[in-house]
Amino acid sequence: MQSHKHVVQEIAASVQHYFKRREPFRIYHGSTNSTRQTTHWRENTVDISPLSRVLKVDTNARTASVEPNVPMDRLVESTLKHGLIPPVVMEFPGITAGGGFAGTGGESSSFKYGYFNECVNSAEMVLGNGDIITASDKENADLFHGASGAVGSLGITTLLEIQLLQAKKYVKVTYHPTRSIPEAIAKIKAEIQNPELDYVDGILFSKNHGVVITGCLTDDIPDSAQVQRFSGANDPWYYLHVKEKTLRSLQSIAEYVPLSEYLFRYDRGGFWVGASAFEYFKFPFNHYTRWFLDDFLHTRMLYRALHASGQSRNYIVQDLALPFSTAEKFIDYTIDSFGIWPLWLCPLRQSRLPTLHPHFSETEADGQTLKPMLNVGLWGFGPAQHDKFIAKNRELERKLREFRGMKWLYAHTYYDEDEFWELYDRRWYDGLRRKYQAESLPSVWHKVKVDPNAHKQAIEGSWGSWALQFWPLGGLWGIRKAIESGEYLIARNSTWKRKDDF
C-alpha cells in the first residue's frame, strides 16, 4: 500500500498544481476501450497509468482492493486464486476496473446485479483541487453515485473496493433458439425473472434466427458432458459456435463451459467485429484463417488496429439501451437503416436516478423498482463517405430518443450540448462539479462528444491521415501498430485460460 499511496500523492500534487494555476488538464490512463479517436497530450496531462495492480483480496470480507487500470483478465486471475469472482465481469479482458466504474459496464449478469459500479463498495478519488477522499454509500455518497458513468469528469479514481462472490468451476450454458425478434425479446424478459439464473444475454443472427443464452454457475457436470472452450486458437469463435448449434434446432441445447472461458467468451473476434477485418482485406473467412491469424483477433489487438487504421471514424460501434416495450420497433429500424447482423441483446437492471447511465423512469407495479432495459449491440460498417456517416449517426440518435432509449457513452456521440443535457439531469451534475471542485476537468459532454469537423481537419492537416483513407493502407498501418504494441502476448500468456480448478 505504501507504493500505492506514493503514486496517489504524486497524482494529487500534479492536480493541485493545475488547480492553483487555474489550468484545465486531462487524465491519461494508458489504454482505452472507447471507439472515439483519442490523443495523448503531453502538456497538462495527469498520468495515472502506473495504477494497475490488485493490491489485496480479502477472502473473509469477499472484497478486492483494485487500482483503476487493472484489466478484467488480471482481476479474474487474482480473485479465482481464492475461489472468488466479481458479480459483473465485462466480457473483454482489456476493459479496466476504473473504466467499468467511471463508464457504463454491463454484461450478461447485469440483469441481476446491475452495471459494474453496483459491485463497488467504495472508491478512493483525487478531486479537482488535489484533495484525496473516499466515496461510498456512507461518505460522500452523492459523489460515489454520480462518479459512476461520469467518465472521470468528477474526479480521478485511484482505488476501488470491489465485491466478490463464490466462484464455481463451470457455467451450464443453455441455448434457447428463437424464430422471430418478438419471440427473442419475450424470452429474455421471461428468463430474467428466474432467480436461479446467473447470466442472460442473446444474439440475433437474422429476423428468423435468434438465440437467448442463459447460464448457471455449477461445480458439477455430467460424466457424459464434453467441456467446451473458446480461448484457444483452434477453438471456435463463440458466436459462430452458437449459430451453428442452433441453426436447425428448435429445442434448447445445454453445454458446460469453464467459468473464465465463459466470462471472456467474446474475446476472440470481439463478439463478431473481427469478421469485419476479413471483409476489409477481402480475405477468406474460415476456420483455418481464423486459426492462422489468431494473435490479431483478440479484442486488445482489434482495438489497437481499429484506432491506428482510422477505421473507427466510419465503423458503427454502439450499445443502445431501451425499454423492453420499444426494443422491437427500434431493432426493426436498425435492420432497415443499417442492415447490420448479428445484434447483441443484453438485459440490464437500472441504476437509481439521477444517473449518467442509460435510464428511463418507468417503474414496476410497486412504484419504486425501475423497469429493466434491453441493450442492443449494433456493431458494423457504416457509410464510407464521412458526411453520410455523420448523418447516419445523427439519425440513429434521433430514433433512439424517439423510442426512449439511450446510448452508452464509450462510443461516438454527436449530440450538441443542449441536446445532451435534455437527456441527463444537468442541475444535479453541475452541482456535483461545483461541490467537489471538478470544474477544472472536462465535462462529461466535452469528454464524449465527437467533433464532426475534426476528421476533415485531420485529413487536411496531415498527409498520413489522408493516406489512411485509401485501401488497404489504413488496415496495414493498423496491423503494424497493433504488432508494435506487443499486446498479442497478453492473450498468449493469460493464465485464466487454465483456470478449471481453484
Side-chain angles (χ1 to χ4, degrees), residues 31-70:
S31 65
T32 181
N33 278 271
S34 170
T35 56
R36 296 183 300 274
Q37 290 292 112
T38 58
T39 302
H40 180 195
W41 299 102
R42 295 186 181 277
E43 296 182 356
N44 287 35
T45 297
V46 176
D47 185 358
I48 70 166
S49 59
L51 294 175
S52 58
R53 297 168 298 168
V54 177
L55 299 182
K56 181 182 179 182
V57 176
D58 187 328
T59 56
N60 292 322
R62 290 191 175 183
T63 59
S65 297
V66 179
E67 291 178 329
N69 295 317
V70 172

Side-chain angles (χ1 to χ4, degrees), residues 270-460:
F271 281 90
W272 35 85
V273 170
S276 296
F278 290 82
E279 182 179 346
Y280 172 86
F281 283 109
K282 302 176 174 60
F283 200 72
F285 183 67
N286 55 51
H287 179 81
Y288 175 77
T289 56
R290 292 192 294 272
W291 166 81
F292 182 73
L293 297 170
D294 186 67
D295 277 341
F296 301 97
L297 298 170
H298 295 256
T299 48
R300 281 185 173 95
M301 291 288 282
L302 289 169
Y303 269 112
R304 284 280 184 179
L306 183 67
H307 282 289
S309 68
Q311 290 300 306
S312 65
R313 296 191 183 100
N314 65 352
Y315 198 85
I316 303 289
V317 181
Q318 297 281 352
D319 279 281
L320 311 148
L322 301 104
F324 271 81
S325 60
T326 63
E328 180 188 348
K329 290 183 178 178
F330 178 75
I331 290 170
D332 287 340
Y333 155 73
T334 68
I335 294 168
D336 293 339
S337 189
F338 292 89
I340 290 174
W341 298 102
L343 300 173
W344 186 51
L345 303 180
C346 184
L348 304 167
R349 195 187 81 186
Q350 288 201 66
S351 292
R352 65 181 175 86
L353 304 178
T355 181
L356 290 165
H357 292 307
H359 59 272
F360 80 115
S361 57
E362 284 186 17
T363 61
E364 302 286 9
D366 61 11
Q368 296 182 334
T369 305
L370 290 167
K371 288 184 176 181
M373 302 185 79
L374 183 63
N375 184 73
V376 179
L378 181 69
W379 314 313
F381 284 113
Q385 206 275 333
H386 182 66
D387 290 341
K388 291 182 179 178
F389 180 80
I390 299 297
K392 210 65 179 171
N393 273 274
R394 293 293 284 146
E395 175 190 296
L396 178 66
E397 290 176 342
R398 289 191 296 272
K399 281 292 183 179
L400 184 63
R401 188 171 181 182
E402 179 183 324
F403 292 114
R404 295 185 295 156
M406 301 181 77
K407 60 168 56 181
W408 299 24
L409 295 179
Y410 75 83
H412 288 199
T413 300
Y414 296 91
Y415 302 113
D416 65 35
E417 193 166 13
D418 290 338
E419 286 178 306
F420 184 85
W421 289 115
E422 288 174 2
L423 301 172
Y424 302 96
D425 189 331
R426 187 168 193 172
R427 174 184 282 186
W428 162 74
Y429 174 77
D430 285 347
L432 291 174
R433 296 259 293 173
R434 287 190 298 271
K435 180 178 178 179
Y436 290 103
Q437 307 292 330
E439 291 174 302
S440 58
L441 290 166
S443 73
V444 61
W445 176 74
H446 282 96
K447 294 196 73 168
V448 305
K449 73 180 178 70
V450 173
D451 182 355
N453 297 316
H455 175 67
K456 289 184 177 179
Q457 293 170 355
I459 292 173
E460 293 169 358

